[in-house]
Amino acid sequence: EIVLTQSPATLSLSPGERATLSCRASQSVSSYLAWYQQKPGQAPRLLIYDASNRATGIPARFSGSGSGTDFTLTISSLEPEDFAVYYCQQRSNWPSGTFGQGTKLEIK
Amino acid sequence: EVQLVQSGAEVKKPGESLKISCKGSGYSFTSYWIGWVRQMPGKGLEWMGIIYPGDSDTRYSPSFQGQVTISADKSISTAYLQWSSLKASDTAMYYCALSGENYFDYWGQGTLVTVSS
């Protein structure tokens, strides 16, 4: 099973700052990686798929990059509503997949 | 509009059985995979398994193989997650999610399962 490791576990930033979240796979997943956002009491929401494609309705301040084993989610300028938990998920062995353990983005 | 509507919260005792549901609407139910995801209290997302309602092809994560059963009834556009004997460690929020482009594009609202004696 492919293991995804996210870092950091917690990221403390202020609104307007740039956020960089990392996801590393235990083996290559090509570009088959997604990012989700989850706010308290809500279901997750798909942000990025296939490493760098924004899902429908996702603001341009969210971007994804990477391939193989190393991936990054960047939020260019944090808005108050962006403080949440972020998960990466791989689907290289579809229809199976795994999630990372999450990064909590909190207000500094 | 695509919607996944899950059954309501459940409170069960250890050893009891349970089947929760996820009803899809607004799309062709038999044409897309539906997955189940566990989230234990205060913890992250865990991929449990996934089913293709068109032919009931089902895949389980190794961690959940033999622990739960995923099924679907295409006549009523509903997917299910069931346990034959619940444990306290099954206490969690369970989400169903629809895979449109091989990722989980749409999610149900979640079903909270509490197992306590």
Side-chain angles (χ1 to χ4, degrees):
Chain A
E1 187 176 74
I2 297 173
V3 176
L4 299 179
T5 302
Q6 293 186 240
S7 62
T10 303
L11 184 58
S12 300
L13 294 170
S14 300
E17 290 193 295
R18 181 184 186 91
T20 303
L21 288 67
S22 175
C23 177
R24 175 164 289 177
S26 59
Q27 63 189 77
S28 176
V29 298
S30 185
S31 294
Y32 300 130
L33 189 108
W35 292 92
Y36 298 84
Q37 176 193 67
Q38 187 180 33
K39 297 180 180 180
Q42 296 184 15
R45 176 175 70 148
L46 178 66
L47 298 175
I48 301 287
Y49 65 95
D50 287 344
S52 61
N53 297 293
R54 275 189 303 277
T56 303
I58 302 304
R61 64 181 182 273
F62 291 91
S63 63
S65 63
S67 66
T69 60
D70 290 294
F71 299 87
T72 300
L73 173 69
T74 300
I75 309 171
S76 59
S77 179
L78 285 165
E79 297 288 341
E81 62 267 27
D82 297 337
F83 292 91
V85 181
Y86 292 84
Y87 296 93
C88 57
Q89 177 240 312
Q90 65 82 22
R91 66 132 180 128
S92 70
N93 50 348
W94 184 261
S96 296
T98 51
F99 289 97
Q101 83 280 15
T103 289
K104 182 179 182 180
L105 178 56
E106 65 176 23
I107 299 176
K108 187 174 182 179
Chain B
E1 179 195 5
V2 174
Q3 279 195 308
L4 296 174
V5 178
Q6 297 186 229
S7 49
E10 302 274 1
V11 179
K12 292 289 194 178
K13 290 181 169 27
E16 292 186 330
S17 63
L18 176 63
K19 191 174 190 178
I20 62 175
S21 66
C22 169
K23 183 173 177 60
S25 62
Y27 71 98
S28 175
F29 183 76
T30 55
S31 301
Y32 300 93
W33 294 84
I34 290 182
W36 286 95
V37 177
R38 183 175 79 174
Q39 188 166 40
M40 299 177 76
K43 302 299 184 182
L45 305 175
E46 298 175 90
W47 183 298
M48 300 179 71
I50 195 165
I51 187 166
Y52 189 78
D55 61 7
S56 293
D57 185 5
T58 307
R59 313 294 175 89
Y60 294 93
S61 166
S63 301
F64 292 94
Q65 180 80 47
Q67 307 304 308
V68 296
T69 301
I70 293 170
S71 60
D73 184 341
K74 55 189 178 183
S75 70
I76 54 172
S77 301
T78 301
Y80 300 97
L81 176 65
Q82 68 180 87
W83 296 259
S84 58
S85 180
L86 286 160
K87 302 183 283 288
S89 57
D90 292 317
T91 294
M93 182 71 81
Y94 293 88
Y95 293 101
C96 63
L98 173 66
S99 170
E101 297 291 338
N102 297 339
Y103 295 101
F104 291 139
D105 310 79
Y106 298 93
W107 292 69
Q109 82 277 19
T111 296
L112 180 62
V113 174
T114 303
V115 183
S116 174
S117 54

